Amino acid sequence: MGQSNKLWGGRFEKDTASAMTNLSKSTHFDWRLATFDLLQTDVHVQALNRSKLLSDAETKQIRIAIKDIHNKVSSGALKPNDSDEDVHTAIERLIIESVGEIGGKIRAGRSRNDQAVTDFKLFLRGSARIISQELVGLCKAINEQATKYFDQASPGFTHLQHAQPVTLGHELAKHSQALLRDIERFTDWDARVDTCPLGAGALAGSALVTDSMWVANQLGFSRPSENSIDAVSDRDFVAEYLFICSVIGVHLSKFAEEIILLTTTEFGYATLDDQYATGSSIMPQKKNPDAAELTRGKSGRLIGNLTGLLVTLKGLPFAYNRDLQEDKEPVFDSHDTLMLLLPALTGMIQTLSFNTEKLSSNAALGHSLATEIADYLVKKNIPFNQAHEISGKCVKLAESKNMEVHQLSASDLSFVSKDLTSDVLEVLTVKASLLARSSYSGTSPVNVKAQIGRMNEKISVLIKWANHNPIPEIL
Ligand code: ARG
């Protein structure tokens, strides 16, 4: 293929080697930015017109072509050519093919360096919102189950050993709490990404388009970037986006791990719906939690995308270096990975059923009510260290009788300490233990309901942010 549409070449005598061309080419991934490149080109053309560098007639003609190309790109009818180095080259070629020589004017006053970073910010601001919409869907699904089971007793664990009884609603809501913080992370991040790099030029700024605030606002940014060198070389907004995706991955992975555990024969607390399980090619009885396992596995890849980019950025000289082109593929991969995982996890939790009988009957196992004895004694003015000792002795006695601590009789308990009078039996139940945990973040059913109510209020604010993309449509 010819190389006539290269954006450079005047000072070269020889053709580029094909190995060099192959290495340099990025259209196979950055074509994904084509509609954003057209949008910013549309704004740039208007800015050139405002600077009297394009006539009204030229501007109109080019904008009609941009709109037409945008439609064809969106429908998939237009694709890059083999000879296009990157998305910016391809879009310029398409415009020149459509309007002829005047199309060559659109490159004035900007560089691919500010163009690339502007396209990327436009993509990322939309991506964060699309991922957040899916996260909200997952949080709502978790909260629906949490509401259904707001007072269902369940064993609570530390060190993967029975610790204290908790409500299942509380256990479930901990996952939506974490995921809501991730959406909030995106909103915090968005405020920092909200500066427009277009006008930074190659590194020094633009001498031809100086109405930077107007350009920024047209592209949905509230202001232009402060420093042109920083604007073209900074990728911390990309690293931060990948970090947020990684934390989401870690949260989803822990959620998935819990479902894997709860659905084992050993735990048997939950059962996956057939729709969200897979079978074995050899063992007919198998029902495997592959959705949860793939989630756990793919979180590694999300972290890898962040780590890879940070290594690329470390020690890079200022300003633009071609290394920076490596920022795109990890982002596309993280976006696509989350968009695969989140709908599957939403369906999985919506259809998950719980073995409430087993959850209830196991809630008091492992002497998980021992703390109630200590708390009871504290209320009788006994210092906690002594109360702890006494409760420990009750556990020892129960173990020697092959019982659970809450199964000891009133006389067994008073034998350990005279302060353990028969009314201690009233606190030695799962129900009493759950009701007692009424601190603000506690597991008591009333608190769980209030907690979910507050979360739902937060969700209604966050979904508004996620549903409003500040990036304008091409007109
Ligand atoms: N495609 C490049 C990128 O994504 C932009 C090209 C800038 N090229 C250059 N030689 N300055 O980063």
Side-chain angles (χ1 to χ4, degrees):
M1 291 298 282
Q3 300 184 331
S4 52
N5 67 322
K6 271 201 304 227
L7 301 186
W8 43 273
R11 57 103 68 224
F12 289 83
E13 280 181 2
K14 294 184 186 168
D15 272 353
T16 315
S18 63
M20 175 66 221
T21 303
N22 292 342
L23 172 61
S24 192
K25 199 193 271 209
S26 56
T27 47
H28 53 291
F29 57 84
D30 68 14
W31 185 245
R32 202 163 164 170
L33 300 174
T35 54
F36 300 106
D37 206 65
L38 283 159
L39 170 66
Q40 71 149 299
T41 302
D42 188 48
V43 169
H44 183 66
V45 164
Q46 295 171 70
L48 288 170
N49 174 246
R50 288 163 67 89
S51 299
K52 311 263 179 284
L53 297 169
L54 278 176
S55 71
D56 290 350
E58 288 169 332
T59 305
K60 192 169 173 205
Q61 194 188 349
I62 298 171
R63 291 195 70 201
I64 289 170
I66 288 174
K67 174 83 182 153
D68 178 56
I69 294 166
H70 189 274
N71 289 341
K72 290 179 181 149
V73 167
S74 304
S75 73
L78 269 182
K79 296 263 187 267
N81 268 355
D82 224 25
S83 58
D84 294 325
E85 183 179 299
D86 59 15
V87 61
H88 321 294
T89 313
I91 295 297
E92 182 175 310
R93 172 183 61 76
L94 286 165
I95 291 172
I96 292 173
E97 279 172 10
S98 171
V99 301
E101 199 176 322
I102 58 159
K105 294 188 172 190
I106 62 169
R107 207 194 303 161
R110 66 176 175 169
S111 146
R112 278 186 298 170
N113 298 352
D114 57 348
Q115 220 177 321
V117 73
T118 303
D119 283 357
F120 211 27
K121 278 193 168 184
L122 294 172
F123 170 86
L124 282 169
R125 296 188 83 187
S127 161
R129 286 166 171 82
I130 292 166
I131 293 170
S132 296
Q133 287 165 8
E134 289 298 325
L135 280 169
V136 162
L138 176 56
C139 287
K140 280 187 172 170
I142 296 172
N143 285 352
E144 263 167 43
Q145 291 275 35
T147 304
K148 183 170 170 195
Y149 295 110
F150 80 105
D151 61 352
Q152 168 64 48
S154 157
F157 296 85
T158 64
H159 310 269
L160 212 49
Q161 307 281 336
H162 280 232
Q164 287 179 309
V166 290
T167 47
L168 181 58
H170 203 50
E171 284 281 17
L172 289 166
K174 72 185 185 234
H175 295 296
S176 33
Q177 291 284 5
L179 295 170
L180 282 185
R181 281 197 299 280
D182 293 334
I183 304 178
E184 286 174 339
R185 267 181 253 281
F186 271 136
T187 65
D188 299 342
W189 163 90
D190 192 52
R192 276 185 295 283
V193 184
D194 187 15
T195 61
C196 181
L198 194 59
L203 80 164
S206 176
L208 301 175
V209 175
T210 51
D211 200 354
S212 305
M213 185 59 90
W214 184 86
V215 169
N217 292 340
Q218 294 304 302
L219 289 171
F221 295 99
S222 57
R223 58 201 184 281
S225 302
E226 287 288 325
N227 180 310
S228 59
I229 303 173
D230 176 44
V232 290
S233 44
D234 155 56
R235 292 295 184 277
D236 59 27
F237 68 96
V238 186
E240 236 185 305
Y241 166 94
L242 290 174
F243 169 75
I244 297 169
C245 292
S246 302
V247 179
I248 295 169
V250 170
H251 286 148
L252 296 181
S253 171
K254 294 182 69 165
F255 176 52
E257 170 61 16
E258 193 159 276
I259 288 175
I260 292 166
L261 264 183
L262 297 189
T263 55
T264 54
T265 307
E266 282 69 19
F267 276 78
Y269 292 151
T271 309
L272 286 169
D273 191 82
D274 280 0
Q275 284 177 284
Y276 291 94
T278 51
S280 152
S281 56
I282 177 167
M283 297 167 284
Q285 85 287 6
K286 290 285 276 175
K287 187 170 171 188
N288 292 326
D290 287 21
E293 287 172 0
L294 283 165
T295 302
R296 199 175 52 185
K298 285 180 190 292
S299 67
R301 142 184 205 155
L302 293 167
I303 296 166
N305 287 339
L306 168 65
T307 314
L309 180 77
L310 288 173
V311 176
T312 299
L313 298 182
K314 182 191 166 296
L316 266 192
F318 286 87
Y320 180 85
N321 300 274
R322 195 64 184 277
D323 316 42
L324 290 173
Q325 183 169 292
E326 289 296 306
D327 60 358
K328 290 173 196 65
E329 286 163 291
V331 160
F332 296 148
D333 185 70
S334 290
H335 173 96
D336 295 343
T337 298
L338 286 175
M339 291 305 288
L340 264 184
L341 293 180
L342 291 166
L345 288 178
T346 302
M348 184 174 71
I349 187 71
Q350 271 166 344
T351 55
L352 192 69
S353 56
F354 290 94
N355 185 346
T356 52
E357 252 169 58
K358 190 167 184 186
L359 283 162
S360 297
S361 61
N362 283 11
L365 293 188
H367 310 288
S368 68
L369 294 171
T371 311
E372 307 311 312
I373 299 177
D375 285 0
Y376 167 91
L377 292 169
V378 166
K379 285 187 187 156
K380 283 194 162 176
N381 211 21
I382 295 172
F384 189 79
N385 55 351
Q386 290 175 35
H388 189 284
E389 274 294 296
I390 295 169
S391 175
K393 287 200 174 112
C394 294
V395 172
K396 206 168 153 199
L397 177 65
E399 273 186 344
S400 73
K401 293 178 160 240
N402 220 4
M403 286 178 157
E404 291 288 333
V405 77
H406 68 283
Q407 292 168 333
L408 289 173
S409 66
S411 59
D412 287 337
L413 291 160
S414 65
F415 170 77
V416 177
S417 162
K418 62 170 178 23
D419 291 307
L420 292 174
T421 48
S422 64
D423 59 338
V424 68
L425 292 178
E426 284 162 32
V427 301
L428 267 186
T429 68
V430 169
K431 193 167 180 202
S433 163
L434 294 176
L435 284 175
R437 298 283 164 314
S438 60
S439 57
Y440 190 81
S441 66
T443 194
S444 88
V446 177
N447 290 51
V448 171
K449 271 210 158 164
Q451 179 197 159
I452 294 169
R454 290 191 296 271
M455 258 202 278
N456 288 338
E457 274 170 34
K458 207 181 254 184
I459 286 176
S460 59
V461 174
L462 291 172
I463 193 68
K464 281 199 194 106
W465 173 83
N467 285 340
H468 174 254
N469 192 340
I471 316 297
E473 295 285 315
I474 256 188
L475 294 178

